[in-house]
């Protein structure tokens, strides 16, 4: 398989599909999920939900060397490549199932152009079912893998984001930073309402109408980091906040 290399020298094998290379580079270079501009933020647990091939996991592993990273990916077509990419770092654990508010077995629909479009909720970007795979209840997973606050969660599940957020329930309070992709304007509004005043939006990248990536930080964590920064001899300048990634066409 062809591969890309992140700035730290770790290789990411990938499937040669349309549009995949620029998307993976955007992730590996830190544009898709820009970190908070506070060096003191150091999550001990990271959930990469909808891990695909592991590009985000490799980026997070380099950025947060003390974090245990858990990748959740149900697609058999990408799971083997994800396991290969994750094998280079013992801090990354791969879980071959989806997540949801309730446990079940569900059909997974393939993407018209690439595995990045694979979804449990078929739309115009999907083909016929390509596999029947397990979805585990978020609450049950969190009993086995506690979220040590402040955790980092990345959520890109082609339309399942709201259900998964609902599955976190009270565990949302353990999340320090959340990156979530939305696939409709209704979902974007509902995600913002679900998070409420407990989270502050710090990043948004809109790829096209009805689709983009949002970055949220726990409001309490943000205040703590700001206070600590004010006491630091090198405060964070306003221009240090991340900017949206360039659009790939």
């Amino acid at each position: 398989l062809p591969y890309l290399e992140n700035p730290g020298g770790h290789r990411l094998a990938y499937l040669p599909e349309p549009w995949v290379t620029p998307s993976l580079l955007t992730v590996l270079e830190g544009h898709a999920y820009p970190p908070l501009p506070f060096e003191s933020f150091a999550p001990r647990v990271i959930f990469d939900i909808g891990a695909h091939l592991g590009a985000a996991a490799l980026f997070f592993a380099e950025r947060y060397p003390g974090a245990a990273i858990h990748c959740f990916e149900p697609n058999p077509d990408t799971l083997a490549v994800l396991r290969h990419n994750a094998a280079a770092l013992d801090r990354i654990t791969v879980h071959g199932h989806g997540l949801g508010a309730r446990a079940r077995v569900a059909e997974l629909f393939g993407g018209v152009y690439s595995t990045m479009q694979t979804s449990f909720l078929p739309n115009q970007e999907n083909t016929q079912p390509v596999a029947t795979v397990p979805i585990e209840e978020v609450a049950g997973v969190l009993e086995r893998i506690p979220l040590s606050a402040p955790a980092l969660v990345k959520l890109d599940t082609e339309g399942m984001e709201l259900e998964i957020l609902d599955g976190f329930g009270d565990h949302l309070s353990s999340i320090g930073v959340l990156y979530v992709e939305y696939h409709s304007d209704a979902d974007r509004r509902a995600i913002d309402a679900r998070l409420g005043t407990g989270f502050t939006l710090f990043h948004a990248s809109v790829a096209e109408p009805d689709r983009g990536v949002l970055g949220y930080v726990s409001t309490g964590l943000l205040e703590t980091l700001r206070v600590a920064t004010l006491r630091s001899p090198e405060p964070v300048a306003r221009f240090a906040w991340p900017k949206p990634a360039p659009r790939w066409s």
Side-chain angles (χ1 to χ4, degrees):
L1 289 175
Y3 68 87
L4 300 170
E5 194 169 291
N6 74 352
H10 292 109
R11 291 184 174 184
L12 179 85
Y14 66 95
L15 302 170
E17 302 174 303
W19 308 328
V20 166
T21 302
S23 296
L24 294 177
L25 285 173
T26 299
V27 176
L28 289 172
E29 293 171 357
H31 300 300
Y33 308 112
L36 291 175
F38 299 99
E39 295 298 329
S40 58
F41 175 63
R44 289 183 291 168
V45 177
I46 295 174
F47 274 23
D48 184 357
I49 306 172
H52 193 233
L53 303 174
L58 288 184
F59 169 70
F60 292 141
E62 183 172 308
R63 175 72 185 186
Y64 307 109
I69 302 171
H70 294 270
C71 294
F72 300 88
E73 175 55 51
N75 187 355
D77 291 338
T78 55
L79 191 56
V81 184
L82 171 61
R83 293 190 188 281
H84 168 79
N85 289 329
L89 292 168
D90 58 11
R91 293 187 291 114
I92 300 178
T93 303
V94 175
H95 306 269
H97 59 79
L99 291 179
R102 59 182 178 86
R104 60 195 186 272
V105 174
E107 289 185 324
L108 191 64
F109 295 81
V112 172
Y113 298 109
S114 82
T115 52
M116 292 190 298
Q117 299 170 304
T118 305
S119 176
F120 288 113
L121 304 174
N123 55 49
Q124 68 273 16
E125 294 185 358
N126 294 112
T127 62
Q128 296 301 307
V130 294
T132 301
V133 299
I135 295 177
E136 292 199 17
E137 182 185 28
V138 176
V141 170
L142 292 175
E143 288 181 3
R144 303 194 305 271
I145 313 169
L147 279 181
S148 299
L152 185 152
V153 173
K154 175 230 131 185
L155 183 51
D156 179 6
T157 52
E158 303 304 309
M160 287 280 287
E161 290 82 7
L162 270 171
E163 178 184 332
I164 295 171
L165 282 177
D166 286 340
F168 272 92
D170 292 340
H171 293 281
L172 281 176
S173 62
S174 296
I175 299 176
V177 170
L178 169 69
Y179 300 100
V180 55
E181 183 166 315
Y182 65 91
H183 298 83
S184 72
D185 194 59
D187 277 3
R188 177 186 63 80
R189 295 175 186 273
I191 289 167
D192 203 61
R194 176 68 182 84
L195 296 175
T197 58
F199 287 84
T200 299
L201 183 71
F202 77 91
H203 167 73
S205 177
V206 181
E208 58 189 77
D210 300 326
R211 175 168 301 192
V213 177
L214 306 173
Y216 290 89
V217 57
S218 160
T219 303
L221 173 64
L222 178 59
E223 183 61 25
T224 298
L225 293 171
R226 279 175 166 166
V227 170
T229 299
L230 289 173
R231 296 171 179 168
S232 169
E234 298 181 2
V236 175
R238 291 186 64 85
F239 62 79
W241 281 89
K243 303 300 187 295
R247 178 174 178 175
W248 297 91
S249 59

